[in-house]
Amino acid sequence: MKRVSVIIITLLIILSCQERHDSYPSVSKTSKVSNYITSVETSSVVLDTAIATSYRGKMDIVNGQLCFIDYMYCYMYFIDGAGKLIKRDLGIGNGPKEINCGAISTHSFFKDGGVSFYGSSDDVYVYSNEYVQNKDASFRIRRDYSKVAENVKPDPQAFETYTFPRLVVCRSYGNNTYVNNGSEAYNFNYFETPDDYSQNCRIITEYDIPNKKIGRLLGKGLPEIYQGTSDRNYIFSEFTFDIDEEGNFYVAFMADSLIYKFNKDFKPVVAFGRKGRNMDVDYFKVTNPKEIYPKANEQYESKGWYTWAEYIPEKNWFCRSYHKGAHSTTDGLQIYDGDNNLIADIDVPVGFKPIGYVHPYLYSDVIEQDEKLIFHKLRIGEP
């Protein structure tokens, strides 16, 4: 009887591990295509000084137009490729073309040019492509906090278990939006319960905008590189992601050289990718939770990690930027084609994160530099 029990327990462990492994795609060899990129021209642009900014926000591209959204002032600034202000929309207030959410946590544009904004209190604000609030579509999630009480083991499938991570990403597909998850829930997080969390966490939350509710919690667990390495990889355990025009998800973790592709039902498709060049990945090992936040910013500056993921529909490219570390005067940018071949791995200015393409340039997000906001644009020569 004892032997039977041991066999059953062993089988359960194997099946549990197999289920977690099956939630991530198998690895496909990534070929490198030499000489695809014939030239790269980099230029830097300073944002118009007429733009009042808190220096907290994000650049985006909507319908071929650059748009910087200031997350504290809640302004949308539309600018040209030279950084000059074209027009300003929204701002803080209760009017139909204003937003009153305190600070914006994240946002995502829809295909028609409309946009959704997310506050820090589970509040969602939906605007038309003329940037008038649709109050019938805007809503606030009501959390059941009893699901994360200290005497209750959190449910990995419960929305209440998760929060916005430090590096928050929001994407849209169809009428829904998707945000990456983090967790500091009692007894369910990557530091205090690393085995449970890395096997069972849900990594992305779907917001069902038409029905004003939380939809699916997508994914299960963390990739192989994070199994049993929470001390070394905790600070670099977050990820970025994007969604292509067919609804496929591309997930890129900070410390993982692989990129994971899932279909719109979040079934695994393929894993591909090559490690970046000259990356310092000698990470600080966290032994006490009090070390995490004091060390995080220093580690992000001094060590190598993958910083952003962006699908470029105009070129059918998947771009992934990476920081090499304090020893390097440049960051890196990888470009993969539609067959997952690495067609470029180039040097870019430190802080470069791709946000989209407007012919003939690939644009970066804004970067604060000498009390100014700047962005970079690459002109990439092809055969």
mmCIF file of all heavy atoms in Angstrom, residues 226-256:
data_model
loop_
_atom_site.group_PDB
_atom_site.id
_atom_site.type_symbol
_atom_site.label_atom_id
_atom_site.label_comp_id
_atom_site.label_asym_id
_atom_site.label_seq_id
_atom_site.Cartn_x
_atom_site.Cartn_y
_atom_site.Cartn_z
ATOM 1 N N TYR A 226 12.631 30.265 -15.131
ATOM 2 C CA TYR A 226 12.235 30.812 -13.832
ATOM 3 C C TYR A 226 11.943 29.731 -12.797
ATOM 4 O O TYR A 226 11.637 30.043 -11.642
ATOM 5 C CB TYR A 226 11.005 31.704 -13.996
ATOM 6 C CG TYR A 226 11.319 32.989 -14.743
ATOM 7 C CD1 TYR A 226 11.053 33.100 -16.102
ATOM 8 C CD2 TYR A 226 11.904 34.061 -14.087
ATOM 9 C CE1 TYR A 226 11.356 34.272 -16.789
ATOM 10 C CE2 TYR A 226 12.216 35.231 -14.761
ATOM 11 C CZ TYR A 226 11.938 35.325 -16.117
ATOM 12 O OH TYR A 226 12.254 36.482 -16.797
ATOM 13 N N GLN A 227 12.028 28.482 -13.182
ATOM 14 C CA GLN A 227 11.758 27.404 -12.232
ATOM 15 C C GLN A 227 12.956 27.231 -11.292
ATOM 16 O O GLN A 227 14.078 26.975 -11.726
ATOM 17 C CB GLN A 227 11.477 26.098 -12.981
ATOM 18 C CG GLN A 227 10.347 26.193 -13.991
ATOM 19 C CD GLN A 227 9.031 26.621 -13.367
ATOM 20 O OE1 GLN A 227 8.622 26.096 -12.333
ATOM 21 N NE2 GLN A 227 8.366 27.588 -13.984
ATOM 22 N N GLY A 228 12.730 27.420 -9.991
ATOM 23 C CA GLY A 228 13.778 27.227 -8.998
ATOM 24 C C GLY A 228 14.843 28.303 -8.979
ATOM 25 O O GLY A 228 15.915 28.098 -8.408
ATOM 26 N N THR A 229 14.560 29.458 -9.563
ATOM 27 C CA THR A 229 15.572 30.528 -9.628
ATOM 28 C C THR A 229 15.009 31.856 -9.138
ATOM 29 O O THR A 229 15.421 32.919 -9.607
ATOM 30 C CB THR A 229 16.095 30.697 -11.073
ATOM 31 O OG1 THR A 229 14.983 31.035 -11.942
ATOM 32 C CG2 THR A 229 16.757 29.430 -11.579
ATOM 33 N N SER A 230 14.067 31.821 -8.209
ATOM 34 C CA SER A 230 13.418 33.065 -7.794
ATOM 35 C C SER A 230 14.387 34.042 -7.140
ATOM 36 O O SER A 230 14.204 35.262 -7.238
ATOM 37 C CB SER A 230 12.255 32.776 -6.846
ATOM 38 O OG SER A 230 12.723 32.120 -5.675
ATOM 39 N N ASP A 231 15.422 33.539 -6.458
ATOM 40 C CA ASP A 231 16.378 34.463 -5.844
ATOM 41 C C ASP A 231 17.136 35.252 -6.912
ATOM 42 O O ASP A 231 17.288 36.469 -6.819
ATOM 43 C CB ASP A 231 17.345 33.704 -4.928
ATOM 44 C CG ASP A 231 18.118 32.598 -5.640
ATOM 45 O OD1 ASP A 231 17.737 32.224 -6.764
ATOM 46 O OD2 ASP A 231 19.102 32.106 -5.057
ATOM 47 N N ARG A 232 17.578 34.570 -7.957
ATOM 48 C CA ARG A 232 18.361 35.216 -9.011
ATOM 49 C C ARG A 232 17.484 36.025 -9.967
ATOM 50 O O ARG A 232 17.882 37.088 -10.432
ATOM 51 C CB ARG A 232 19.129 34.151 -9.796
ATOM 52 C CG ARG A 232 19.950 34.710 -10.949
ATOM 53 C CD ARG A 232 20.583 33.588 -11.752
ATOM 54 N NE ARG A 232 21.408 34.114 -12.830
ATOM 55 C CZ ARG A 232 20.944 34.495 -14.014
ATOM 56 N NH1 ARG A 232 19.645 34.406 -14.263
ATOM 57 N NH2 ARG A 232 21.751 34.960 -14.943
ATOM 58 N N ASN A 233 16.293 35.536 -10.275
ATOM 59 C CA ASN A 233 15.489 36.125 -11.345
ATOM 60 C C ASN A 233 14.294 36.943 -10.876
ATOM 61 O O ASN A 233 13.541 37.451 -11.702
ATOM 62 C CB ASN A 233 14.989 35.024 -12.288
ATOM 63 C CG ASN A 233 16.096 34.482 -13.170
ATOM 64 O OD1 ASN A 233 17.016 35.199 -13.537
ATOM 65 N ND2 ASN A 233 16.013 33.197 -13.506
ATOM 66 N N TYR A 234 14.128 37.104 -9.549
ATOM 67 C CA TYR A 234 12.927 37.795 -9.074
ATOM 68 C C TYR A 234 12.785 39.182 -9.685
ATOM 69 O O TYR A 234 11.725 39.554 -10.193
ATOM 70 C CB TYR A 234 12.920 37.897 -7.545
ATOM 71 C CG TYR A 234 11.652 38.558 -7.039
ATOM 72 C CD1 TYR A 234 10.551 37.794 -6.716
ATOM 73 C CD2 TYR A 234 11.549 39.940 -6.938
ATOM 74 C CE1 TYR A 234 9.362 38.375 -6.289
ATOM 75 C CE2 TYR A 234 10.370 40.550 -6.520
ATOM 76 C CZ TYR A 234 9.282 39.761 -6.201
ATOM 77 O OH TYR A 234 8.110 40.342 -5.803
ATOM 78 N N ILE A 235 13.826 39.970 -9.631
ATOM 79 C CA ILE A 235 13.758 41.351 -10.124
ATOM 80 C C ILE A 235 13.466 41.385 -11.617
ATOM 81 O O ILE A 235 12.860 42.333 -12.121
ATOM 82 C CB ILE A 235 15.062 42.105 -9.777
ATOM 83 C CG1 ILE A 235 15.140 42.336 -8.258
ATOM 84 C CG2 ILE A 235 15.175 43.424 -10.516
ATOM 85 C CD1 ILE A 235 16.454 42.923 -7.776
ATOM 86 N N PHE A 236 13.838 40.327 -12.319
ATOM 87 C CA PHE A 236 13.655 40.274 -13.777
ATOM 88 C C PHE A 236 12.615 39.227 -14.166
ATOM 89 O O PHE A 236 12.750 38.545 -15.182
ATOM 90 C CB PHE A 236 15.004 39.973 -14.448
ATOM 91 C CG PHE A 236 16.032 41.036 -14.223
ATOM 92 C CD1 PHE A 236 16.952 40.907 -13.194
ATOM 93 C CD2 PHE A 236 16.066 42.179 -14.996
ATOM 94 C CE1 PHE A 236 17.905 41.903 -12.963
ATOM 95 C CE2 PHE A 236 17.001 43.177 -14.781
ATOM 96 C CZ PHE A 236 17.930 43.038 -13.761
ATOM 97 N N SER A 237 11.560 39.113 -13.370
ATOM 98 C CA SER A 237 10.550 38.082 -13.622
ATOM 99 C C SER A 237 9.333 38.607 -14.372
ATOM 100 O O SER A 237 8.410 37.841 -14.669
ATOM 101 C CB SER A 237 10.102 37.446 -12.304
ATOM 102 O OG SER A 237 9.553 38.422 -11.429
ATOM 103 N N GLU A 238 9.302 39.895 -14.699
ATOM 104 C CA GLU A 238 8.173 40.449 -15.437
ATOM 105 C C GLU A 238 8.382 40.260 -16.940
ATOM 106 O O GLU A 238 9.411 39.738 -17.381
ATOM 107 C CB GLU A 238 7.982 41.919 -15.076
ATOM 108 C CG GLU A 238 7.600 42.101 -13.604
ATOM 109 C CD GLU A 238 7.388 43.563 -13.230
ATOM 110 O OE1 GLU A 238 7.422 44.437 -14.123
ATOM 111 O OE2 GLU A 238 7.193 43.843 -12.032
ATOM 112 N N PHE A 239 7.401 40.686 -17.720
ATOM 113 C CA PHE A 239 7.474 40.471 -19.156
ATOM 114 C C PHE A 239 6.687 41.551 -19.897
ATOM 115 O O PHE A 239 5.876 42.276 -19.316
ATOM 116 C CB PHE A 239 6.900 39.087 -19.512
ATOM 117 C CG PHE A 239 5.418 38.950 -19.220
ATOM 118 C CD1 PHE A 239 4.471 39.202 -20.190
ATOM 119 C CD2 PHE A 239 4.991 38.578 -17.952
ATOM 120 C CE1 PHE A 239 3.111 39.100 -19.913
ATOM 121 C CE2 PHE A 239 3.643 38.468 -17.657
ATOM 122 C CZ PHE A 239 2.697 38.725 -18.640
ATOM 123 N N THR A 240 6.966 41.661 -21.187
ATOM 124 C CA THR A 240 6.163 42.491 -22.076
ATOM 125 C C THR A 240 5.545 41.587 -23.129
ATOM 126 O O THR A 240 5.958 40.431 -23.300
ATOM 127 C CB THR A 240 7.005 43.600 -22.737
ATOM 128 O OG1 THR A 240 8.053 42.997 -23.518
ATOM 129 C CG2 THR A 240 7.626 44.504 -21.688
ATOM 130 N N PHE A 241 4.547 42.081 -23.827
ATOM 131 C CA PHE A 241 3.894 41.262 -24.844
ATOM 132 C C PHE A 241 3.208 42.150 -25.872
ATOM 133 O O PHE A 241 2.985 43.341 -25.653
ATOM 134 C CB PHE A 241 2.877 40.304 -24.211
ATOM 135 C CG PHE A 241 1.610 40.969 -23.718
ATOM 136 C CD1 PHE A 241 0.454 40.975 -24.482
ATOM 137 C CD2 PHE A 241 1.576 41.597 -22.474
ATOM 138 C CE1 PHE A 241 -0.710 41.587 -24.033
ATOM 139 C CE2 PHE A 241 0.419 42.207 -22.008
ATOM 140 C CZ PHE A 241 -0.725 42.201 -22.800
ATOM 141 N N ASP A 242 2.883 41.555 -27.014
ATOM 142 C CA ASP A 242 2.096 42.240 -28.030
ATOM 143 C C ASP A 242 1.196 41.220 -28.710
ATOM 144 O O ASP A 242 1.339 40.006 -28.516
ATOM 145 C CB ASP A 242 2.999 42.950 -29.051
ATOM 146 C CG ASP A 242 2.293 44.101 -29.753
ATOM 147 O OD1 ASP A 242 1.077 44.300 -29.516
ATOM 148 O OD2 ASP A 242 2.927 44.814 -30.544
ATOM 149 N N ILE A 243 0.252 41.723 -29.513
ATOM 150 C CA ILE A 243 -0.729 40.887 -30.196
ATOM 151 C C ILE A 243 -0.722 41.270 -31.677
ATOM 152 O O ILE A 243 -0.786 42.460 -32.012
ATOM 153 C CB ILE A 243 -2.137 41.080 -29.610
ATOM 154 C CG1 ILE A 243 -2.115 40.871 -28.089
ATOM 155 C CG2 ILE A 243 -3.132 40.135 -30.272
ATOM 156 C CD1 ILE A 243 -3.435 41.224 -27.405
ATOM 157 N N ASP A 244 -0.642 40.277 -32.557
ATOM 158 C CA ASP A 244 -0.630 40.597 -33.984
ATOM 159 C C ASP A 244 -2.051 40.691 -34.532
ATOM 160 O O ASP A 244 -3.046 40.572 -33.792
ATOM 161 C CB ASP A 244 0.244 39.606 -34.767
ATOM 162 C CG ASP A 244 -0.335 38.182 -34.832
ATOM 163 O OD1 ASP A 244 -1.547 38.002 -34.586
ATOM 164 O OD2 ASP A 244 0.428 37.245 -35.137
ATOM 165 N N GLU A 245 -2.184 40.893 -35.823
ATOM 166 C CA GLU A 245 -3.495 41.151 -36.427
ATOM 167 C C GLU A 245 -4.394 39.925 -36.453
ATOM 168 O O GLU A 245 -5.598 40.045 -36.674
ATOM 169 C CB GLU A 245 -3.292 41.687 -37.845
ATOM 170 C CG GLU A 245 -2.617 43.052 -37.869
ATOM 171 C CD GLU A 245 -2.324 43.547 -39.274
ATOM 172 O OE1 GLU A 245 -1.671 42.802 -40.027
ATOM 173 O OE2 GLU A 245 -2.751 44.666 -39.607
ATOM 174 N N GLU A 246 -3.821 38.750 -36.231
ATOM 175 C CA GLU A 246 -4.621 37.529 -36.178
ATOM 176 C C GLU A 246 -4.933 37.112 -34.743
ATOM 177 O O GLU A 246 -5.523 36.066 -34.516
ATOM 178 C CB GLU A 246 -3.884 36.399 -36.901
ATOM 179 C CG GLU A 246 -3.688 36.676 -38.391
ATOM 180 C CD GLU A 246 -2.926 35.557 -39.082
ATOM 181 O OE1 GLU A 246 -2.410 34.654 -38.372
ATOM 182 O OE2 GLU A 246 -2.837 35.589 -40.318
ATOM 183 N N GLY A 247 -4.523 37.922 -33.785
ATOM 184 C CA GLY A 247 -4.804 37.625 -32.384
ATOM 185 C C GLY A 247 -3.775 36.768 -31.701
ATOM 186 O O GLY A 247 -3.987 36.327 -30.561
ATOM 187 N N ASN A 248 -2.630 36.523 -32.361
ATOM 188 C CA ASN A 248 -1.558 35.763 -31.725
ATOM 189 C C ASN A 248 -0.824 36.641 -30.716
ATOM 190 O O ASN A 248 -0.543 37.813 -30.992
ATOM 191 C CB ASN A 248 -0.565 35.263 -32.766
ATOM 192 C CG ASN A 248 -1.189 34.291 -33.749
ATOM 193 O OD1 ASN A 248 -1.761 33.281 -33.353
ATOM 194 N ND2 ASN A 248 -1.093 34.600 -35.032
ATOM 195 N N PHE A 249 -0.499 36.056 -29.564
ATOM 196 C CA PHE A 249 0.236 36.748 -28.513
ATOM 197 C C PHE A 249 1.718 36.411 -28.620
ATOM 198 O O PHE A 249 2.086 35.262 -28.838
ATOM 199 C CB PHE A 249 -0.253 36.317 -27.127
ATOM 200 C CG PHE A 249 -1.637 36.769 -26.774
ATOM 201 C CD1 PHE A 249 -2.754 36.136 -27.320
ATOM 202 C CD2 PHE A 249 -1.840 37.812 -25.882
ATOM 203 C CE1 PHE A 249 -4.040 36.542 -26.980
ATOM 204 C CE2 PHE A 249 -3.121 38.226 -25.547
ATOM 205 C CZ PHE A 249 -4.230 37.590 -26.094
ATOM 206 N N TYR A 250 2.565 37.422 -28.428
ATOM 207 C CA TYR A 250 4.014 37.236 -28.356
ATOM 208 C C TYR A 250 4.462 37.721 -26.986
ATOM 209 O O TYR A 250 4.290 38.897 -26.652
ATOM 210 C CB TYR A 250 4.723 38.044 -29.448
ATOM 211 C CG TYR A 250 4.343 37.629 -30.855
ATOM 212 C CD1 TYR A 250 3.164 38.086 -31.442
ATOM 213 C CD2 TYR A 250 5.163 36.792 -31.596
ATOM 214 C CE1 TYR A 250 2.805 37.702 -32.724
ATOM 215 C CE2 TYR A 250 4.824 36.415 -32.890
ATOM 216 C CZ TYR A 250 3.639 36.879 -33.446
ATOM 217 O OH TYR A 250 3.293 36.496 -34.720
ATOM 218 N N VAL A 251 5.029 36.824 -26.179
ATOM 219 C CA VAL A 251 5.379 37.122 -24.790
ATOM 220 C C VAL A 251 6.892 37.050 -24.633
ATOM 221 O O VAL A 251 7.513 36.048 -24.999
ATOM 222 C CB VAL A 251 4.692 36.134 -23.829
ATOM 223 C CG1 VAL A 251 5.085 36.435 -22.389
ATOM 224 C CG2 VAL A 251 3.172 36.196 -23.996
ATOM 225 N N ALA A 252 7.477 38.123 -24.096
ATOM 226 C CA ALA A 252 8.938 38.201 -23.934
ATOM 227 C C ALA A 252 9.262 38.572 -22.490
ATOM 228 O O ALA A 252 8.960 39.684 -22.046
ATOM 229 C CB ALA A 252 9.520 39.240 -24.891
ATOM 230 N N PHE A 253 9.870 37.643 -21.767
ATOM 231 C CA PHE A 253 10.231 37.870 -20.369
ATOM 232 C C PHE A 253 11.579 38.593 -20.269
ATOM 233 O O PHE A 253 12.436 38.472 -21.138
ATOM 234 C CB PHE A 253 10.305 36.539 -19.622
ATOM 235 C CG PHE A 253 8.966 35.966 -19.288
ATOM 236 C CD1 PHE A 253 8.252 35.240 -20.234
ATOM 237 C CD2 PHE A 253 8.410 36.144 -18.038
ATOM 238 C CE1 PHE A 253 7.007 34.714 -19.935
ATOM 239 C CE2 PHE A 253 7.170 35.617 -17.717
ATOM 240 C CZ PHE A 253 6.460 34.897 -18.673
ATOM 241 N N MET A 254 11.752 39.320 -19.166
ATOM 242 C CA MET A 254 12.939 40.153 -18.971
ATOM 243 C C MET A 254 14.249 39.373 -19.042
ATOM 244 O O MET A 254 15.247 39.867 -19.562
ATOM 245 C CB MET A 254 12.863 40.859 -17.613
ATOM 246 C CG MET A 254 11.881 41.987 -17.506
ATOM 247 S SD MET A 254 11.938 42.656 -15.823
ATOM 248 C CE MET A 254 11.019 44.180 -16.029
ATOM 249 N N ALA A 255 14.264 38.162 -18.463
ATOM 250 C CA ALA A 255 15.518 37.418 -18.325
ATOM 251 C C ALA A 255 15.627 36.244 -19.290
ATOM 252 O O ALA A 255 16.598 35.496 -19.237
ATOM 253 C CB ALA A 255 15.669 36.909 -16.890
ATOM 254 N N ASP A 256 14.662 36.081 -20.179
ATOM 255 C CA ASP A 256 14.572 34.891 -21.021
ATOM 256 C C ASP A 256 14.881 35.247 -22.472
ATOM 257 O O ASP A 256 14.249 36.142 -23.043
ATOM 258 C CB ASP A 256 13.168 34.297 -20.913
ATOM 259 C CG ASP A 256 13.081 32.872 -21.418
ATOM 260 O OD1 ASP A 256 13.981 32.444 -22.163
ATOM 261 O OD2 ASP A 256 12.097 32.187 -21.076
#
